[in-house]
Amino acid sequence: PYSFRDSDLEKWAAAGKDVEQIKAEKLAATGLYYRLMLEHIQKVLTDVKRVYPDYDPGAGYKLAGFVWFQGWNDMVAGDEYPNRSQPGGYDAYSVNLAHFIRDMRKDLEAPKMPFVIGVMGAGGPVELYPKESQRYASTHTEFRKAMAAPADLPEFKGNVTAVWTEKYWDMELTDLRTESRKIEQDVKKLKEQGKFDGDVNAEIAKRKSATFDARQIEILTNGASNAEFHYLGSAKILGQIGKAFADSLFELMKD
């Protein structure tokens, strides 16, 4: 169950809000997506032919493994983790993730189901963060450690593993995007200062053409389709992460 902070309860009461209603709504919302996930899994398993027409009921099925690759909203939840940039600041996340693994195995009646934790790696290795991202380094470091921690518990030895997805980040793309943004900012700054009266976009394109070769322009143009916290929507990044998950799961299955 969700634990309310006394400070929040006092604040809502002082504002004239219906505290009991807020509690009831939170009770209904807590665990909602866990329940929906279980419902979806059971829906598939009770009618496998709907999604896999060649399924042979006589052969049956096996829950071969589970991959968990989430956590960004937990990482940025400063209210829930007020000491998140300090060692141990995300300890509660590690405890909850371990409970999650136990609960999934229990509710799916698969006590030995291999479990892969995809450790958040958006931005790549923290030690390689560019200057403008350094302010996030301690928070990201502590969260990644907290995500990986359950894999080291004795009860999970040999059946839970953590994959550090930071290893598959495209640092070349990051460096190119950093340089590209600098060019854009420089031109816009000159415009604001009245030191440049030409077409901003044309000047940016001109400077980029002089700075990057054809291959680099191709990477900048097509290398990313989304934001950093969605792994840039990069097939290069996500493809490697997916393969790492599969390889890790396969190793657990062999054991």
Side-chain angles (χ1 to χ4, degrees), residues 78-98:
D79 289 342
E80 300 296 333
Y81 301 100
N83 302 313
R84 57 198 179 122
S85 63
Q86 302 171 19
Y90 284 108
D91 282 353
Y93 183 91
S94 302
V95 172
N96 284 336
L97 184 54

Side-chain angles (χ1 to χ4, degrees), residues 151-211:
D152 293 328
L153 293 175
E155 68 182 286
F156 293 150
K157 183 177 176 58
N159 57 71
V160 175
T161 191
V163 173
W164 288 72
T165 66
E166 62 181 35
K167 297 186 296 184
Y168 307 105
W169 190 259
D170 190 343
M171 294 308 302
E172 180 185 20
L173 177 56
T174 294
D175 292 342
L176 290 174
R177 282 164 60 88
T178 298
E179 182 64 24
S180 179
R181 283 194 292 266
K182 185 177 183 301
I183 291 173
E184 295 169 1
Q185 291 167 358
D186 288 346
V187 173
K188 291 176 181 177
K189 186 175 181 179
L190 290 174
K191 185 74 171 181
E192 292 170 358
Q193 295 174 340
K195 298 178 180 179
F196 173 73
D197 59 2
D199 182 88
V200 171
N201 291 330
E203 181 64 17
I204 289 173
K206 176 183 174 182
R207 294 191 181 201
K208 287 184 179 181
S209 294
T211 304

Side-chain angles (χ1 to χ4, degrees), residues 32-68:
L32 172 63
Y33 291 103
Y34 179 83
R35 295 192 294 273
L36 289 174
M37 178 174 61
L38 287 176
E39 288 176 13
H40 176 73
I41 294 172
Q42 296 299 346
K43 180 180 179 182
V44 172
L45 296 182
T46 53
D47 187 11
V48 180
K49 277 184 171 293
R50 183 177 63 87
V51 293
Y52 185 63
D54 293 335
Y55 173 65
D56 177 8
Y61 63 81
K62 176 183 179 181
L63 294 176
F66 194 105
V67 176
W68 182 251

Side-chain angles (χ1 to χ4, degrees), residues 57-134:
Y61 63 81
K62 176 183 179 181
L63 294 176
F66 194 105
V67 176
W68 182 251
F69 190 34
Q70 290 289 338
W72 183 272
N73 287 347
D74 296 275
M75 185 176 70
V76 300
D79 289 342
E80 300 296 333
Y81 301 100
N83 302 313
R84 57 198 179 122
S85 63
Q86 302 171 19
Y90 284 108
D91 282 353
Y93 183 91
S94 302
V95 172
N96 284 336
L97 184 54
H99 283 318
F100 175 72
I101 296 170
R102 298 182 193 106
D103 289 344
M104 286 303 306
R105 288 172 166 174
K106 177 175 179 289
D107 290 336
L108 294 177
E109 298 180 347
K112 298 294 184 181
M113 181 175 64
F115 200 100
V116 173
I117 302 168
V119 179
M120 292 289 296
V126 172
E127 61 270 19
L128 299 180
Y129 274 15
K131 184 177 179 180
E132 63 268 23
S133 299
Q134 284 298 321

